[in-house]
Amino acid sequence: MERLTPLLAQYHRIKERYPGTLLLFRVGDFYEMFYEDAEIGARALNLTLTSRPHGPNHRVPLAGVPAKSLEAYVARLVAQGLKVAVCEQLEAPSRNKPVVARDVIEVITPGTVTRSGLLDERRNNYIMALSPAGENWGMAFADLSTGEFTVTEIDFKNLTEEIVRVSPAEILLPENWPGEPPNRKLGIELALTRLDDYYFTPEFAFEKLTSHFGVVSLAGFGIEHLNEGICAAGALLEYLEQTQCSALPHILRLTPYCPTEYLLIDRVSRRNLELIENLHPPDNRSKEIGTLFWVLNRTQTPQGTRLLRRWLLNPLLSVEEINRRQEAIAELTNQGSPLKEIAECLREIGDIERITAKVALGRANPREVIALRNWLSGAPKLKNLTNQFSADYFCQIREKLFDFTPLVEEISQVLVDDPPITITEGGLIRSGYNKELDELRQIAANAKEFIARLQEEERRRTGIPNLRIGYNSVFGYYIEITKSYLGVVPRHYIRKQTVAQGERFITPELKEYEAKILNAEERIKSLEYDLFLQLRSKIASYTTQILDFGQAVAQLDVLASLAEVARDKNYTRPIVDNSYIIEIKKGKHPVVEAMVEEPFIPNDTLILPDKEQILIVTGPNMAGKSTYLRQVALIVIMAQMGSFVPAEHARIGIVDKIFTRIGASDDVARGVSTFLAEMIETANILNNATSRSLVILDEVGRGTSTNDGLAIAWATVEYLHGEEEFRPRTLFATHYHELADIATYLTRVKNYSFVVRESGDQVLFLRKLRPGPADKSYGIAVAKLAGLPPVVINRAKELLKRFTKGEEINLTQLITEIDLPIASDRIAQPDRKEKSAPHPVLLRLQNLNINELSPLEALNLLAELQKLASEPDG
């Protein structure tokens, strides 16, 4: 093997430490990729693959990207699932060194992104570690870009639901764990990273966590009992430190998380209710449009938007905490509240959490620091605006609205108001902050003037009128004195060179200024860089306070957002208690009301587990059944997240789980048909609901035959109408009118239906719910509105009349009728012959009563029909 150049030898040493990553190796103004990395990178980024010579008979594959465009290229690589190691030059190039010092400053994976351009500011970017242990798994997840770090333990049967809820960008698992990753069972592809099993051991994890947080016990975090959770958290912290090449100073606390403290909304219900993603966004626009999140989101800051999303997906079970949020919102909605002023103040604040994380990690640029200064300067005004509120939540927020005036003033003293993004090119530091820097700038800007001034000073001091200061590339700056004045040369002058006209001298002072002049620009950049790092380090010392301030801003932003929506839409404060009652007067669907122009028709809901536990809702399609079902679920979710609700009055007894079965589709990837998908969802509900749950069922059993479907629906209602320990509050919409009869013997089942008004052939859907079952389904009227051909509508009406009269209609009779009404109405046939009489076999069958035939008569009849069928048409 040919001997490597110093640069390639350095590359190999660094690459060996980061297997499985694409190494971006800084060389001047480019990040280069070599060997196999160059081939992978060229394909992924659509770059031209080149090569550089290495020895007489060998060339090394090479591909590179401009340093100034790094973020855009990294985004494309990470989006394709690649892990990227960024290797930087740690010093300026020097003639005295064959190769500059380099090292990896960060490894970027889908779950460890901190660069603003690679992140969605509206949602967290979580990375999750799982520690498998039978039925009880440890789980830890973190958002490196904000410093959030959470740990829990979870039952294996609920694991996939929690993974989907958190939606991590990357999952960490032990290297030798043999099982299938939990997310694969749901057909969800996430970036998966295997770590050495040792990192998941209790001993390593405990040492890692206690060392990072500077404690001797984890009891202070309330997690000492979470053995598997600690294993997951330790492995996650180790991975984050490895990828960030940092001690992660912005991860300040480890928060325990208990899933049982929140209302469970499983993935099916989140999808069906379209909480944060519209299944059918209008005109291919954002999937947020037409969701509950879209209605409630009036937030002004990125951290507020992210927090609102978390509140929406994790409604509370604590009545006390719900009331704390409600009290704060109530004060904000009061007449005279400075809600508008608060919103305007928040609008001037950006992503404090993520910029602070970048400061702590040593990655914030000067413009980000100036932005942070501007945001922190708004803290006193925000605090003053909240002083008039007395709700407990505001007391908590005010404690974190610190006065950062000293830090704000220091940043202003150090940095110019509009600095460049880069920290190595100078132009960052304000004049007057550093004496040496000012002097260097003066020298660099006025080098000629400085030399001319020095020359005059030396002439005056020595009395030599023709003393001249010159410069050449060999000796640098010098003082030249003609032969006639050599006798009065000062003693401190040092002779350097003899020339024809006289002698050249240097002085320590001149050489000092020479160094300053020649190296002023380089020194300016270096000094500004050092001063900026000192400032950034000073800001990093405030990490705890700034992150707490960011959290307070997020909380205030969400409360203000919910208050603004409540005030604009005239929402009301619901009563939330520990009863089992759900009572809603004049409730509205928040999303539908926001999207339609015509007035929304409100409806009431009353569920009393001892009297009206199950509401059977009948009525035709388009009458409003599905909207009504979703409406009740959304109002419950809003109430338990602390929001006001779209109703005249609402009382919500705490709901622990919401289950919905609304619509179903084939899951081809898993080989699941529509009906099977429907039954799987129904089974999940029946097996996991409790008396505190809210169950929403829409058209259970419709994916199979009428009799089978009705039987399943009937049995499902019977099951839900359980004993005292199992009485989930249930809304059951159905087309099976026969199901309404179940209320005659199940005492806690009540029938409701949507009002429909008929006028001739026209049907008007009033969208109004009333007690009692529907009298018919109006399916043909809906089919007419959908645009079915008139001939189909007319035929359906005729058949419906006969079916509802109880006539026995045999197949032969229907066959003989098919041609007449449909073909003649569908197409004009002017030359069509008059229809001939039915075939004798058909006539014989039509008049036959099969039930009265003996076996022998049946055989004789079959022989007779065979003979008739063989005769030519007559």
Side-chain angles (χ1 to χ4, degrees), residues 797-809:
K797 287 179 179 178
E798 178 186 335
L799 292 173
L800 180 62
K801 289 178 183 177
R802 295 165 65 176
F803 292 157
T804 53
K805 288 179 182 178
E807 295 182 13
E808 290 187 7
I809 302 191

Side-chain angles (χ1 to χ4, degrees), residues 273-307:
L273 297 174
E274 297 180 306
L275 297 183
I276 57 175
E277 184 173 305
N278 191 332
L279 298 178
H280 307 287
D283 303 325
N284 295 318
R285 290 183 288 170
S286 168
K287 290 186 177 181
E288 283 185 5
I289 296 175
T291 65
L292 183 58
F293 179 76
W294 172 72
V295 171
L296 298 179
N297 185 23
R298 305 279 184 92
T299 55
Q300 306 295 331
T301 70
Q303 53 264 15
T305 305
R306 294 192 293 267
L307 182 61

Side-chain angles (χ1 to χ4, degrees), residues 24-35:
L24 296 181
F25 192 77
R26 182 73 178 261
V27 182
D29 293 333
F30 283 81
Y31 286 95
E32 304 286 7
M33 294 169 280
F34 299 101
Y35 302 101

Side-chain angles (χ1 to χ4, degrees), residues 274 402 411 658 692:
E274 297 180 306
F402 305 107
I411 295 173
I658 287 182
R692 277 224 170 268

Side-chain angles (χ1 to χ4, degrees), residues 409-424:
E409 290 177 349
E410 183 167 355
I411 295 173
S412 297
Q413 290 169 3
V414 177
L415 293 182
V416 298
D417 289 332
D418 187 21
I421 293 178
T422 59
I423 63 176
T424 57

